[in-house]
Amino acid sequence: GWSKSPTILGRESAVKALMKARSYLPKGYNFKVWDFKRTRDVQLLIIDSFMKRLKLLHPKLSDRKIMNLVYTFAARPYKVVTDPGTHRNGGAVDLTVVDKLGVELYMGTDHDHLTVVSALDYYENILPLNSFEKEARKNRRVLKKVMLKAGFTPYAPEWWHWDYDK
């Protein structure tokens, strides 16, 4: 994740829901968590990183359009955030699924990949799919199924981001 701390903290209800989601995974599988609760300072670091990366990816876009793209993939750094289902309040988690050997399942993109391919349902509407895309679709479906069953809400542009606002 983005924090300098090796400890990942989350709101108690969200952590309990994540443990429930884990119980729905195939036997021996687990989650790899990148981020749960984030400070505003970490959020500002993320925004800066995303802005630099998106400028490289889209050099002809104006700064305003780049910022609009940034806020597709990063929350605005408000000083006060009241929504419980956010990283700032420990209710959002960025994660993936790992197999019995601890190897990440193939999801089609890396974590924090800043294109439309990162959308949770991206591979649901693309035909025909090659073997890599079929694997990514299958694995995203597994993630989606267990997270929804445990009460999480997806953030559609990012397969890895899940909110828990209860």
Side-chain angles (χ1 to χ4, degrees):
W2 291 90
S3 175
K4 292 178 183 176
S5 172
T7 304
I8 296 174
L9 301 173
R11 201 178 67 250
E12 185 177 1
S13 61
V15 171
K16 285 181 179 177
L18 186 60
M19 303 314 295
K20 188 176 191 180
R22 184 175 72 174
S23 74
Y24 301 138
L25 287 170
K27 186 175 178 161
Y29 283 40
N30 208 337
F31 291 118
K32 176 180 180 179
V33 175
W34 290 295
D35 282 307
F36 227 123
K37 185 172 183 165
R38 291 184 190 145
T39 64
R40 183 171 185 271
D41 288 341
V42 169
Q43 194 66 31
L44 290 169
L45 287 172
I46 291 168
I47 289 168
D48 184 57
S49 172
F50 286 8
M51 191 167 28
K52 289 174 184 171
R53 289 166 50 194
L54 287 166
K55 279 184 178 185
L56 288 172
L57 192 60
H58 306 285
K60 294 182 180 181
L61 287 183
S62 69
D63 285 349
R64 184 175 185 193
K65 288 184 178 181
I66 291 291
M67 284 311 297
N68 287 338
L69 273 175
V70 165
Y71 291 131
T72 299
F73 297 100
R76 295 181 185 273
Y78 299 117
K79 292 200 182 215
V80 177
V81 178
T82 57
D83 181 357
T86 65
H87 282 294
R88 292 275 298 283
N89 288 324
V93 61
D94 290 349
L95 53 72
T96 192
V97 178
V98 295
D99 67 16
K100 295 173 185 180
L101 300 174
V103 176
E104 293 178 28
L105 300 188
Y106 179 68
M107 297 291 184
T109 70
D110 290 330
H111 167 248
D112 285 343
H113 181 84
L114 306 177
T115 73
V116 296
V117 183
S118 295
L120 177 63
D121 291 333
Y122 178 80
Y123 295 111
E124 297 299 331
N125 304 309
I126 305 290
L127 289 174
L129 296 176
N130 65 37
S131 59
F132 287 109
E133 293 165 333
K134 287 177 184 175
E135 183 69 13
R137 181 181 64 188
K138 179 185 79 150
N139 293 333
R140 287 184 189 190
R141 284 176 175 175
V142 167
L143 177 62
K144 184 177 181 178
K145 179 181 175 184
V146 303
M147 296 301 283
L148 289 174
K149 191 172 180 181
F152 284 87
T153 303
Y155 179 60
E158 300 174 349
W159 60 261
W160 58 85
H161 180 103
W162 295 85
D163 297 330
Y164 191 79
D165 59 8
K166 296 167 187 78

